[in-house]
Amino acid sequence: MIFSTVLTSVPNLYLTRKPKNIHIQIRCLSSPSVSISSQSNLTQFDLKAYWATLYAEITQKLEEAIPVKYPDQIYEAMRYSVLAKGAKRAPPVMCVAAYEIFGDNRLAAFPTACALEMVHAASLIHDDLPCMDDALERRGQPSNHKVFGDDMAILAGDALFPLGFHHIVMHTPPELVPESRLLRVIAEIARTVGSSGMAAGQFLDLKGGNTVDFIQEKKYGAMGECSAVCGGLLAGAKDDEIERLRRYGRAVGVLYEVVNDVLLSKSTEKEGTEGQEKKGKGYVRLYGIEKSMEIMEELRSKAKNELDGFEKYGDCVAPLYSFIDYAINRGFNVSDLSQ
């Protein structure tokens, strides 16, 4: 569920109060104005161009992976969510970016990248159901159940989860990725979506209470963590490197959602409207904007510190550094990349 909220009306974070000692500096060429400090000497990296290229390649692979066949309606419902114009493709892009730190042929990562998008879309379809978050829109269009009905939406989500695993097994080039690595990737994804991962976060989100940190980590951090880890596993990264990617991905996933919460709070405050009820379980409602900004800085620092451990890989780490900047500054609208 990482990067799942689109806030196109407030692309940059302008807050009237900022915690002390926060200065924002941008590494991403396409990001415009505001920032949080960074001391990396990496060359400037154009995340927008990188993301746009991968967006097109992954979308084409997804088109091929989910053809319409009997029973047509299930496949149409699956394609509706996976191929939505508002999809950001953040999990697959992060997976490929992590792979390219250690590996030299991104085609090895594409089947898993597509599988992550399928699993991500399935989780969003189920989250939006009336018995869950009861969301009317997703990715800039009516939610899956509003178009196809609750029954078909449940089936579409149920079908996408195993399709992702099947796609990894059947399409990953064996000459590029040994079977032992694939087994670790499949186990990682299964753990992420299960009762100790995203399902646990959704349960606590429904139950309520002041468990916002756990909810955010499981609902949003888990997918970022899984995406980064899978890229490293495919490329044969060492165990300590995998753990760095795990902590990095978790921090970035939660960071993105904390920023979403702050942006939504500021926009609704400006417009004099109330935010969605489910946002009442977010950081701003529980801690306030100033504390939420401090949490943002802590998460940014955590993510950056993990990447600093990959210094020997040089500019190969630049895409993942730029993810941190993008999570805060939203220098471009990813949805525009599909046009």
Side-chain angles (χ1 to χ4, degrees):
M1 305 174 200
I2 182 177
F3 301 173
S4 59
T5 304
V6 181
L7 294 168
T8 56
S9 61
V10 279
N12 295 301
L13 186 59
Y14 295 102
L15 301 178
T16 56
R17 300 178 65 190
K18 290 164 80 173
K20 294 180 180 179
N21 301 322
I22 290 186
H23 171 63
I24 306 178
Q25 176 182 349
I26 301 187
R27 189 180 299 101
C28 189
L29 285 177
S30 53
S31 297
S33 51
V34 234
S35 53
I36 294 183
S37 67
S38 171
Q39 298 177 359
S40 173
N41 292 321
L42 288 174
T43 55
Q44 285 190 317
F45 179 78
D46 190 344
L47 180 63
K48 183 177 181 179
Y50 181 83
W51 203 317
T53 298
L54 283 175
Y55 190 105
E57 292 174 342
I58 291 166
T59 298
Q60 179 59 42
K61 295 293 185 183
L62 288 167
E63 279 270 9
E64 298 167 359
I66 315 176
V68 176
K69 53 187 178 182
Y70 183 82
D72 294 7
Q73 196 170 4
I74 293 179
Y75 285 94
E76 288 169 356
M78 294 161 66
R79 288 172 60 87
Y80 177 82
S81 292
V82 172
L83 300 174
K85 296 296 184 181
K88 296 180 176 65
R89 306 281 183 257
V93 172
M94 183 176 286
C95 174
V96 174
Y99 172 87
E100 290 186 318
I101 296 176
F102 316 97
D104 57 6
N105 188 341
R106 65 169 51 168
L107 293 179
F110 273 13
T112 296
C114 289
L116 288 168
E117 186 63 26
M118 294 175 192
V119 168
H120 186 207
S123 72
L124 298 179
I125 292 172
H126 286 174
D127 278 4
D128 291 342
L129 289 167
C131 62
M132 295 291 183
D133 293 344
D134 194 18
L136 301 181
E137 292 187 358
R138 173 68 68 179
R139 293 177 162 179
Q141 61 185 23
S143 298
N144 195 291
H145 68 275
K146 298 300 293 183
V147 176
F148 297 94
D150 294 3
D151 51 357
M152 202 57 58
I154 292 171
L155 290 175
D158 287 349
L160 282 169
F161 282 119
L163 178 60
F165 294 121
H166 182 268
H167 192 74
I168 292 172
V169 173
M170 299 303 296
H171 295 279
T172 303
E175 68 276 12
L176 297 179
V177 184
E179 183 178 293
S180 58
R181 295 182 191 173
L182 283 190
L183 290 174
R184 292 185 68 185
V185 166
I186 291 171
E188 183 68 27
I189 297 174
R191 182 197 61 79
T192 297
V193 302
S195 57
S196 63
M198 288 156 56
Q202 182 64 19
F203 165 75
L204 288 173
D205 201 11
L206 291 170
K207 181 180 178 182
N210 293 331
T211 53
V212 64
D213 294 304
F214 188 86
I215 292 172
Q216 300 292 329
E217 180 177 317
K218 296 299 183 181
K219 284 194 70 172
Y220 305 107
M223 199 68 209
E225 175 184 332
C226 180
S227 301
V229 165
C230 284
L233 289 173
L234 290 166
K238 299 176 182 177
D239 287 347
D240 63 316
E241 294 171 330
I242 293 298
E243 291 310 306
R244 281 193 177 278
L245 289 172
R246 184 180 303 285
R247 294 187 295 267
Y248 161 83
R250 185 189 310 139
V252 172
V254 177
L255 173 61
Y256 196 94
E257 190 60 24
V258 176
V259 174
N260 276 348
D261 198 19
V262 172
L263 289 173
L264 180 62
S265 176
K266 295 299 292 184
S267 74
T268 53
E269 177 184 288
K270 181 178 179 180
E271 296 168 6
T273 59
E274 292 295 328
Q276 297 175 10
E277 181 63 26
K278 71 173 184 177
K279 291 295 181 179
K281 300 172 185 175
Y283 280 90
V284 172
R285 181 66 64 89
L286 186 61
Y287 298 123
I289 286 181
E290 184 166 346
K291 176 63 176 177
S292 296
M293 285 290 291
E294 292 174 359
I295 293 171
M296 284 167 49
E297 170 62 9
E298 291 170 4
L299 290 167
R300 185 210 63 84
S301 295
K302 284 181 182 178
K304 178 187 173 297
N305 288 341
E306 297 302 336
L307 294 185
D308 288 346
F310 296 130
E311 183 178 5
K312 66 180 180 180
Y313 294 105
D315 286 352
C316 291
V317 192
L320 294 188
Y321 271 111
S322 292
F323 260 105
I324 303 171
D325 291 332
Y326 177 77
I328 297 168
N329 299 298
R330 313 299 166 91
F332 57 91
N333 186 352
V334 180
S335 301
D336 292 341
L337 302 181
S338 64
Q339 298 176 359

